[in-house]
Amino acid sequence: MTWWTLRAVIGGGLLTGLLAYLTATLPDARPWLGPLLAAAAVVSLVYVGVMPAVRYRVHRWETTGEAVYALSGWVVREWRVAPISRIQTVDTKRGPLQQLLRLATVTVTTGSAHGPVRITGLDQDVAARVARDLTEITRRTPGDAT
Amino acid sequence: MTSVGTPPAAPVTAEAPMRRLDRRMIWVDAIQMVISLIPTVVALAVFKVEPRPQVIWPAALVAVLGVVTAVNDLFRWLKTRYRVTPDRVEVRTGLLVRSNLSVPRDRIRSVESTANLKQRLAGLRVVTIGTGRHASAGEATIELNAVRRETAEELRRLLLRGADRPDDATVLAELRWRWLLYNLVNIWAFLTAMFVIWSAYWLLNNFGVELDTWVLGLADWEALGPGVTIAVATAAVGLIGVAGLVIGFVTEFWEFRLTRVRTAAGTALRTTNGLLRTREVNRDDNRLRGVHIGEPLFWRWMGAADTAVISTGLAKAGMGAEPASTILPRGPIAEALRVARLVLGGDDRPFEAPLRPHPRRALRRRVIWALNTTGALTVLLLWLDLTVEALPGGLWLAGPGVAPVAVLAAVVAYRALGHTVHGRYLVTRSGLLTRSTDALDRSAVIGWKFRQSLLQRRLNLVTVIATTAAGYGRYKAPDLDLHDGVEFADRATPDMLTPFITRIPPRR
């Protein structure tokens, strides 16, 4: 949750900051930049205030012997299911922010370009364990992954 | 991805020597370069056209392009080596950037041999080998440009695993000239015409003929008034465009034939077509996962339909060419259905199965979106009206003006929705501009996605997306009732979701 908050703060801050800078330096553009700046500020605030909490409440994941399942999103919710037998790769990824917070993202890809199941913001150790387990199960499960 | 089976012993030695492209391509380039310069030279030398910059520049450009192409091709010929070993195809190429491409032969999905006019005259073919990669990654195909016709034929037979006997081919569809009608009315007509006129203008300009003055001299446009002028211009451009499309269609689909041929590894769907550019695509039936039929909105009244297979590992739409998955030119829907039935085989007729309509709430969602969009448009236009003085007042009225169209579109989109599970296939239908009906083999589904936006949660709707390795990679049934959606997915793939069924909860 801290991770989402940080990301939201950085993203919203950058946008608002940029607009504020432009508004300050380009007096000619103020009539239309002004409202835009205000809108951006409001949106960013709401985003920072609401998004992380909602996401934290919504996000769920689970792996069983047969499938991987994840629920994500805040405005648009998305459930994704991929059966173990169709898994092709398991990735663990940590961005700079995530390293700071000891978090990791596990991405499970299948044969489809549209079907990766992404589990974001896991504790690093849990992520490593999940990735290891999945790799292990996948290896035991035979079959063409398409 | 694990490989499927091992390729049968092919009639090549284990250490096949690296082969070169055919050296005739260089002569072809040289000759083409000379030919492309002829009009200008003739214009200058014979007709004594005065060498204005407008004449010189295109000619110089053509000359430079010709030389660059020729030199480029020369290096390509020098540096390209390829060979087919029993289990791989290897290509080495590149002057500055050397690249080695090695593709396992069981990944090869299609072999195309094309030839444009000059290559045909020289007996050359460009062989394009489609592999299981995604076209977007830019590594979907190996192109051998160019080899001798016999070599191309030999490669095709070799790569698609052994000789197929021509008497084993079953013809599924052949070109009917009636289909031409379906390909005439097209927005491309006007673009084609523009292109033709533009080329003609510059070509004639070389000879000192001013096309624009000539057209202006044809009639007394001033006297006819702008209305008639515009009508005549549109008709003329349209006519030229239609003629262009006719020529395009005829040259592309000349002797079009869709057959199912027996190969060493089973059966394959093959299309052959083309007058000047011949194209032959083979699609392994083991990779076939379903069929897609798209019906474009503005031609639905005449029942036009595009037919394509849903298959793993076929390259997506390329530049200037039909995607390899297309198995029929645009034609009547009845024909599309007939071919779809033959292609899928078996007793299931997914395209004739009655589709289950989606709940009325799906219509409500579409109408709400239509009105929201028009509302936003109106506000935006109103704001522009008030702040920008250069714009005419009353522009914002265009916003509400769009509303009926938007609502109509919403209704059309809603009426397109449908889904069902029929035999081995799951069938989804959706789309506004192109109503696409997709029958996908249930065993090809490799995962599910369920999406709910805020509004969908309010309306208790869910978009169910089946992900697969074939075709577009996902086939969706938008806006099902939440309960129906989960049931639909569960019915399509009984084992996949069962452990989660109780945990995909009906939220609110």
Side-chain angles (χ1 to χ4, degrees), chain A residues 62 77-79 81 86 112, chain B residues 446 448 450-452 468 473:
Chain A
E62 182 173 352
R77 277 180 206 173
E78 195 166 275
W79 289 258
V81 185
R86 306 305 182 103
S112 167
Chain B
I446 59 174
W448 289 97
F450 300 87
R451 279 179 73 94
Q452 276 195 310
T468 167

Side-chain angles (χ1 to χ4, degrees), chain B residues 340-413:
Chain B
R341 200 162 61 229
L342 288 174
V343 165
L344 292 176
D347 295 330
D348 296 332
R349 301 198 170 170
F351 286 103
E352 281 144 58
L355 296 183
R356 294 168 64 182
H358 291 208
R360 299 289 287 187
R361 300 191 301 274
L363 175 61
R364 207 183 310 157
R365 174 167 178 241
R366 275 162 183 69
V367 171
I368 288 174
W369 268 111
L371 294 179
N372 276 352
T373 318
T374 40
L377 186 70
T378 314
V379 169
L380 183 73
L381 287 176
L382 196 60
W383 185 58
L384 283 177
D385 250 0
L386 294 178
T387 48
V388 185
E389 276 139 38
L391 289 172
L395 186 69
W396 65 275
L397 286 171
V402 177
V405 182
V407 171
L408 188 68
V411 175
V412 170

Side-chain angles (χ1 to χ4, degrees), chain A residues 41-56:
Chain A
V42 171
V43 169
S44 302
L45 270 180
V46 172
Y47 188 61
V48 171
V50 178
M51 186 276 281
V54 177
R55 268 194 190 278
Y56 184 72

